[in-house]
Amino acid sequence: MAEGVRRLLGKPGAVDIRPYSRLLEQIESREEELRGLEDAELTRRATDLGNAELPYDRPDLVELCAVGREAARRALGERPFDVQLVGTMALLDGRIAEMATGEGKTLTGALAAAGFALRGKRVHVLSVNDYLARRDAEWMRPLYDLLGVAPAWIAEDSTGEERRTAYSADITYASVSELGFDVLRDRLVTDAGDRVLPPPEIAIIDEADSVLVDEARVPLVLAGAAAASDADAEMADLVRGLKPRIHYEVDDEGRNVQLTDAGIDAVEKALGGVDLYDENDTSVLPRVNLALHAHVLLQRDVHYVVRDGQVRLINESRGRIALLQRWPDGLQAAVEAKEKVEVSETGEVLDSVTVQSLALRYPTLCGMTGTAMAVAEQLREFYELEVAQIPSNKPCVREDEANRLYATREEKEDALVAEVARVHAQGRPVLIGTQDVAESELLAKRLADEGLECTVLNAKNDADEAAVIAEAGTYGAITASTQMAGRGTDIRLGGSDMADRDRVVEAGGLYVLGFGHYPSSRLDDQLRGRAGRQGDPGGSAFFVSLDDDLITANGGETTGYTADADGRIADEGWLAMVDRAQRIAEGRLLEVHRNTWRYNKIIDVQRQVVLEHREAVLTQGLGDRQLAVDCAARHGELVEEVGEEETARAARLITLYHLDRGWTDHNAFLAELREGIHLRFLGRRDPLDEFNRDAVPAFKGFLDDARARAAETFEEAEVEDGAVDVAAAGVKRPSMTWTYMVHDHPFSSDIETVVGRLKGRSSD
């Protein structure tokens, strides 16, 4: 009924899957004949499907699914369920397929990838990490071989030649970050033959909501060596002596911190009587604020860990070490100073791309996840994607309890430990979802004190992830995990070998306990969905307290409740407040996404202008010809001396250098503009309008300026050993480059930040 109403109203998630379901009978009718074919004939049936264009018509779609089902049965020992084939058809139509945990998304995506590849399209299957990319490519390889298409995969340590070879395959598995870094590196090549990536065609995204929504605003960055910066040890030492509520205050959301009047006086005195708000020296206040943010708002074992002498960020939506990810350099250095570790390499940003822009490069985009409906509106708004809800193969019999709400964290913890002890005595496996590393370790210690052995999976031991998750369904197991999104391993009742399955089923199946709610209901659902896979018995319950961060930041007043002797609150109004707090948190995340998209829109337009001109120079010699004209008038003897071919080479290198140098400088200008634009809010001007008003004229004449600088460089160039010495003329590339992801700024909006800072100052 609800699905029909959504379709009638045209609401997100309104994809009608009935046309796909009607084909299932025809697909099944092909099964007996296909089972009688030799492997070579089955492969021929698959490759014959390549004699047409996309999209698949209905007869070919039936043949593809029938052949794919038989190939999977032979190659993998898995006969795809009807619902998996429905998911495959939805992907081939460019949809997001919502499929519950344990329903076989990997195989569904592989059949769709083969379907696209058979029609001559290059397919990139994008996952959340390198481990899953390699695992899925190797797991599905026998299926692909039988269907006559070639798979490959990319990893962080893949060489340039290995990447080029992998991307030339029909189907390439890669993490989103590695693909993004390859895009950035390809943008800076000076010879077209050095690129590794072909033009984008099809992308199938695993954990699509996590990638397209949670990480959409995360920039991937290519940096070049520049002057090293030092961590600000002086400021780190200074803020350690400041006292909360005396020298600084943290806002109700815990996302912003600002000095009080007493704090301003203390800092100014400690720094020798400086004026933090001196208009002639604006360098001190940002240093103080960065150190204060690092000291107060970024917590060790919550937002980051220190491993091998390095500050390593934790991906909040996955609970893992965020490889190659860092905060913007100033904040990164401030945290490193706080922890007294060696400052990491820094440099100037050569270029960047957000995950959202990366995904939108593909003419055809689709994906699968277990929790898409909650963000269906965003998927439509930002990507023009619709969600197809795929029913589970077997009815879900998991019992999901209402929230268990307690007055304090201590009472919540006591209740959860008691509940774990109760069900553990029955042999029922328990999976506990926690918010961060510190929480998982403290809870594990508390359980150990009660004689309950708990296996911990968090950012400190994520290398053991697959093994830990695989055994979480073992009889009597207790597992605590910081986040279950994108773990990629099913929890089978009875353990990986399912030896004790019957005993675990009798005990009630996997019991999932949430130690507080996540800021997104989708993360809750991903945790909850680990129980009850494929019709298994299971249950879930979330333990929440009024002093949880989610509630204190988004729930408003938390007094006036009535609790029982154990601190539990049963009033429906208070329980509804918990749900409301989570919705408010989700709304704030959406607004951050929208604002990031708005600011990046003009930047993406300008970047595209530069990239199109760069491509023309790289492949069509436009820069060569333009420079040849300029040189003929001013430096014609150089052309006569080295010849046209060498002149063209030098012209290309010089033109590309000035395009890239100009874009790097423009990037730095835009970053500085973005950092300071919120100050204009104080003049009752819209920061976004102001950003565009300055960004547009700053880019005007960009190409003409680059061309003029290139012509001047060429005129100054000299010949050395029969070649134009472009390096001597100042054309120098960075001695080294590296890539990383910039972590989202963890604090409140720029406007809230500046207003908070100036509020106290105005009372002087």
Side-chain angles (χ1 to χ4, degrees), residues 223-479:
S229 66
D230 296 323
D232 205 332
E234 178 188 13
M235 292 302 175
D237 290 337
L238 190 157
V239 300
R240 285 192 187 97
L242 300 180
K243 298 179 180 179
R245 294 182 297 279
I246 297 176
H247 296 119
Y248 62 83
E249 294 178 344
V250 179
D251 66 5
D252 292 339
E253 299 176 14
R255 291 169 58 89
N256 185 47
V257 59
Q258 58 264 342
L259 293 170
T260 62
D261 289 346
I264 293 171
D265 292 340
V267 170
E268 290 179 338
K269 181 178 180 181
L271 293 176
V274 303
D275 180 358
L276 290 180
Y277 295 87
D278 184 355
E279 294 182 357
N280 297 317
D281 183 5
T282 59
S283 64
V284 180
L285 182 59
R287 292 169 55 207
V288 175
N289 281 328
L290 283 171
L292 191 62
H293 286 160
H295 179 69
V296 177
L297 299 181
L298 295 178
Q299 302 173 38
R300 184 169 176 165
D301 291 343
V302 175
H303 301 103
Y304 64 92
V305 298
V306 177
R307 177 189 288 182
D308 301 326
Q310 294 180 311
V311 171
R312 309 293 294 273
L313 275 66
I314 297 173
N315 185 312
E316 295 178 6
S317 65
R318 300 199 189 106
R320 301 177 179 84
I321 290 293
L323 296 175
L324 301 175
Q325 191 167 140
R326 59 187 290 147
W327 290 292
D329 284 335
L331 186 56
Q332 182 79 19
V335 177
E336 289 164 343
K338 167 189 173 182
E339 295 295 341
K340 300 181 179 180
V341 301
E342 183 179 355
V343 63
S344 58
E345 292 177 312
T346 188
E348 61 183 355
V349 174
L350 304 179
D351 200 4
S352 65
V353 60
T354 62
V355 172
Q356 179 166 335
S357 296
L358 184 68
L360 288 172
R361 296 170 65 248
Y362 290 89
T364 299
L365 185 65
C366 58
M368 56 273 187
T369 180
T371 48
M373 282 301 298
V375 288
E377 182 179 346
Q378 294 182 59
L379 291 171
R380 172 183 280 185
E381 177 180 352
F382 297 115
Y383 303 96
E384 297 182 358
L385 287 170
E386 300 293 343
V387 177
Q389 276 188 297
I390 312 300
S392 57
N393 182 53
K394 295 180 179 178
C396 179
V397 297
R398 184 185 64 240
E399 297 180 2
D400 298 324
E401 301 180 31
N403 284 326
R404 300 190 188 185
L405 178 61
Y406 295 85
T408 67
R409 176 192 172 87
E410 291 74 19
E411 290 164 330
K412 175 183 75 171
E413 185 178 303
D414 290 343
L416 183 136
V417 170
E419 181 71 352
V420 172
R422 182 184 71 81
V423 298
H424 178 70
Q426 305 166 3
R428 189 177 187 183
V430 179
L431 173 65
I432 307 168
T434 65
Q435 304 292 305
D436 53 57
V437 174
E439 198 171 75
S440 66
E441 293 182 340
L442 288 172
L443 190 57
K445 184 179 184 303
R446 172 69 191 277
L447 290 168
D449 291 343
E450 301 294 329
L452 301 168
E453 182 179 350
C454 176
T455 301
V456 177
L457 176 59
N458 60 34
K460 289 186 176 180
N461 65 345
D462 53 2
D464 304 324
E465 172 179 315
V468 171
I469 292 300
E471 302 306 328
T474 302
Y475 186 82
I478 304 174
T479 308

Side-chain angles (χ1 to χ4, degrees), residues 79-225:
R79 178 184 179 274
F81 304 129
D82 284 353
V83 292
Q84 287 176 287
L85 298 182
V86 171
T88 295
M89 290 184 271
L91 293 176
L92 287 168
D93 275 349
R95 313 294 194 186
I96 299 296
E98 182 183 82
M99 302 174 66
T101 299
E103 291 295 309
K105 291 188 287 291
T106 301
L107 178 53
T108 297
L111 291 174
F116 284 123
L118 287 168
R119 288 279 156 99
K121 298 295 184 181
R122 283 183 296 270
V123 183
H124 294 164
V125 182
L126 305 182
S127 61
V128 295
N129 58 48
D130 290 349
Y131 161 73
L132 291 178
R134 177 173 184 170
R135 186 205 68 174
D136 291 352
E138 293 181 339
W139 180 12
M140 294 293 117
R141 183 180 295 278
L143 169 66
Y144 289 135
D145 289 344
L146 194 51
L147 291 174
V149 294
W153 53 271
I154 300 290
E156 181 182 343
D157 58 358
S158 297
T159 65
E161 191 54 41
E162 288 170 340
R163 290 169 188 270
R164 191 174 293 107
T165 300
Y167 284 124
S168 68
D170 300 316
I171 300 166
T172 308
Y173 283 76
S175 68
V176 174
S177 58
E178 281 306 308
L179 176 89
F181 296 147
D182 283 336
V183 167
L184 291 172
R185 285 186 286 257
D186 273 4
R187 287 179 179 175
L188 289 182
V189 298
T190 56
D191 189 308
D194 292 337
R195 290 187 291 202
V196 301
L197 274 163
E201 293 185 341
I202 308 287
I204 301 176
I205 301 182
D206 194 12
E207 301 295 340
D209 59 333
S210 177
V211 172
L212 297 178
V213 176
D214 297 333
E215 297 186 356
R217 58 190 180 272
V218 176
L220 292 85
V221 173
L222 178 66

